[in-house]
Amino acid sequence: MLVIMLIGGMITDNSTSGYGGGVSVGFSGNTNRSEFNFAEGVLYGNSADIAADDIYACGTYSVSTIIFPDGMGCDYCDVDFTNYLWFNDASGSRYTVGSSSYIEEEINESYDTLCLKAAEKSESSISLYGRSLSLGGKIGINYYFDCSGVTNPEDYYVVFTVANESTTRTDEIYLTQSTVSDGNGGYYYVATCKVYFYQMLDDITATLYDGEGNIVSTDTGYSIYTYMSTAMNKGSTKLQTLVAGLGIYGITGQVWAEKNLDVEYSVLTVGTEYKSLNWVLTYDNSGSNDAGYLYYWLLDSFSFSTYKTALSSASNFAYTTNVSGENNGISIAPTLVLDDSCDLKFVITVDDISDYTVYLDDVEVTPTSDSGKYYVSVTDILVQNWDNTHSIKVVKTDDSTVYDEITGYSVMSYAYHMVSEGEGTQSLQDLLVGMYAYYTAAEAYIATE
């Protein structure tokens, strides 16, 4: 029998790359009973990389026992540290300030495994209440926090890390009061993680910090894909249709990103097999048992080819141009800017913009200069408004001559033109079909609200 007894003294400021920064009771290969008797002294402030900053009791091969002084129980780590308690500090649920619960039962018994950290009891608390999908102008995940236990929730912020196999993006977002009631006369606070159109499979890590920069809690392993899977299993029919459109946009976005950005999505799971994104986009799955797989189901049940045919013939998205016979080399080229939102951007080529006046939707605007060209934009367009039309014209300031003009142009006009004319790469055309699928789903969803 192995017995460790602390009688006076201090165990603090120690560290280990494994388990039990202060004391480790029981170990691999030990078949005897192990016991730690905390008779008197100080034990706190140690660290362990894997688990159990202060005390680790391992009973995998033996029985481990922790003994504390009578009457002290879980409230004891030293008589001078009356506000310190024992907290669980296991590898799968490490201690975090303000969100971990202290151990309420007496710690005078035998354990298979016990991971302890001595930490100061926090009088304030804040916890993750839930998540929702953010759509419309921007795509993202809303994280709602119950801040009823803190007096200054606006000082708290979340660091969002969105990561895939090859890239990582980080954003710092402060909490703001939402319109969602907490049921007690108050409201939950929210921080939104933006997700680019090609990042719907990427894992999101949400790390909450207090106003002093201390980590309060960490939430990992959530993604747009997680939400879509839940919606497809439990959501209403209209929500499933909306999420299906978003999913097709996401699939085509990932294929496009692989070919045009420094991004790699090596595999997607299909049943127990692994298939590439390109396989998912083009594979004919008739007669196979993989139809339950979410992404294939989206492309099959909602018919990617049908969307492509419909977009190619959607002449209602056509636009008109009016170019002066002597336009002095002036031209307007519409394009899209996509990330977590969608902007319609009109790029103007002109030698000297000071001689001309630019009107966007009949309102005079000042173009932004960029690399010898100029542009004006319509930003953060809601998905259900991707068919809203806009006009732009370049007019000679001194005589009001219109040198170039485009009318009736929308986000879907760009998609229609590129796909119907077969312009651009295949991955770009597929992405635009994905946008069309998302747009039609959003229109149908809004119409039933």
Side-chain angles (χ1 to χ4, degrees):
M1 178 177 180
L2 176 64
V3 178
I4 301 173
M5 180 175 290
L6 180 62
I7 306 177
M10 176 182 292
I11 300 178
T12 190
D13 294 329
N14 300 290
S15 62
T16 177
S17 60
Y19 299 80
V23 172
S24 182
V25 186
F27 52 90
S28 176
N30 174 38
T31 58
N32 298 314
R33 179 184 178 89
S34 299
E35 178 181 295
F36 174 57
N37 191 329
F38 191 172
E40 184 181 352
V42 177
L43 200 165
Y44 81 106
N46 303 284
S47 64
D49 289 348
I50 298 178
D53 277 349
D54 290 307
I55 299 177
Y56 177 64
C58 173
T60 303
Y61 298 90
S62 60
V63 177
S64 297
T65 302
I66 305 294
I67 300 176
F68 287 94
D70 292 341
M72 299 305 292
C74 61
D75 293 328
Y76 185 83
C77 76
D78 177 67
V79 292
D80 294 328
F81 290 79
T82 55
N83 201 38
Y84 272 60
L85 300 171
W86 292 112
F87 290 82
N88 177 56
D89 193 30
S91 59
S93 55
R94 296 304 301 270
Y95 166 81
T96 51
V97 179
S99 62
S100 296
S101 299
Y102 63 87
I103 299 173
E104 299 185 16
E105 71 272 13
E106 295 286 327
I107 313 178
N108 288 327
E109 52 186 272
S110 299
Y111 297 92
D112 289 334
T113 301
L114 183 66
C115 300
L116 296 179
K117 177 181 179 65
E120 191 170 9
K121 181 180 179 182
S122 175
E123 298 300 330
S124 62
S125 64
I126 181 171
S127 59
L128 178 64
Y129 166 72
R131 314 174 195 85
S132 70
L133 187 63
S134 175
L135 297 173
K138 293 181 179 290
I139 301 170
I141 297 289
N142 302 313
Y143 285 74
Y144 294 93
F145 293 88
D146 183 349
C147 300
S148 56
V150 297
T151 57
N152 55 339
E154 295 87 356
D155 292 341
Y156 286 69
Y157 60 94
V158 181
V159 174
F160 290 112
T161 302
V162 184
N164 54 54
E165 289 96 329
S166 57
T167 63
T168 299
R169 196 194 80 245
T170 300
D171 293 312
E172 181 180 301
I173 307 295
Y174 276 81
L175 298 189
T176 57
Q177 184 173 292
S178 75
T179 58
V180 180
S181 172
D182 64 7
N184 297 308
Y187 296 90
Y188 292 112
Y189 278 70
V190 64
T192 299
C193 175
K194 63 182 180 182
V195 178
Y196 292 170
F197 65 96
Y198 56 84
Q199 294 179 322
M200 297 186 197
L201 271 181
D202 293 11
D203 284 337
I204 300 171
T205 298
T207 304
L208 178 67
Y209 290 82
D210 64 17
E212 303 298 322
N214 301 307
I215 294 177
V216 176
S217 64
T218 300
D219 181 78
T220 61
Y222 203 80
S223 66
I224 295 282
Y225 171 78
T226 307
Y227 182 92
M228 288 195 296
S229 298
T230 302
M232 287 303 181
N233 288 322
K234 299 180 180 180
S236 63
T237 300
K238 71 175 186 176
L239 178 60
Q240 289 179 350
T241 302
L242 175 63
V243 170
L246 177 64
I248 296 174
Y249 182 27
I251 299 168
T252 55
Q254 288 166 355
V255 175
W256 179 88
E258 281 191 314
K259 295 182 179 299
N260 295 276
L261 303 176
D262 186 20
V263 176
E264 294 181 7
Y265 290 91
S266 57
V267 292
L268 287 175
T269 304
V270 182
T272 58
E273 301 179 24
Y274 292 94
K275 303 292 182 182
S276 72
L277 280 161
N278 288 325
W279 179 92
V280 175
L281 190 62
T282 60
Y283 183 62
D284 178 6
N285 200 38
S286 57
S288 172
N289 62 359
D290 288 335
Y293 176 60
L294 175 63
Y295 274 6
Y296 167 73
W297 180 79
L298 294 177
L299 294 175
D300 178 59
S301 299
F302 289 84
S303 188
F304 183 81
S305 59
T306 300
Y307 281 124
K308 187 169 186 176
T309 300
L311 177 59
S312 299
S313 58
S315 58
N316 54 303
F317 297 138
Y319 59 96
T320 58
T321 59
N322 176 25
V323 180
S324 169
E326 298 178 0
N327 68 345
N328 293 345
I330 297 172
S331 66
I332 304 173
T335 188
L336 301 180
V337 178
L338 303 174
D339 41 42
D340 62 321
S341 62
C342 177
D343 298 347
L344 180 57
K345 183 177 181 179
F346 296 99
V347 180
I348 304 168
T349 300
V350 60
D351 290 335
D352 187 359
I353 196 69
S354 64
D355 293 335
Y356 302 90
T357 303
V358 178
Y359 294 88
L360 178 65
D361 295 333
D362 295 324
V363 176
E364 182 178 339
V365 294
T366 300
T368 301
S369 176
D370 182 24
S371 303
K373 296 182 183 294
Y374 302 87
Y375 70 88
V376 295
S377 297
V378 182
T379 60
D380 294 343
I381 306 173
L382 298 173
V383 58
Q384 65 269 24
N385 295 334
W386 283 356
D387 62 345
N388 284 7
T389 59
H390 301 274
S391 63
I392 182 171
K393 60 183 175 181
V394 179
V395 178
K396 190 69 179 294
T397 302
D398 58 5
D399 63 10
S400 299
T401 301
V402 176
Y403 277 84
D404 201 356
E405 181 178 22
I406 297 176
T407 58
Y409 203 93
S410 67
V411 171
M412 284 293 101
S413 296
Y414 181 86
Y416 165 69
H417 171 75
M418 297 297 287
V419 174
S420 63
E421 297 296 326
E423 295 189 12
T425 63
Q426 187 63 53
S427 62
L428 175 59
Q429 290 187 34
D430 288 344
L431 171 61
L432 296 172
V433 174
M435 291 183 65
Y436 177 69
Y438 180 32
Y439 154 75
T440 56
E443 264 207 326
Y445 185 85
I446 296 298
T448 58
E449 284 289 276

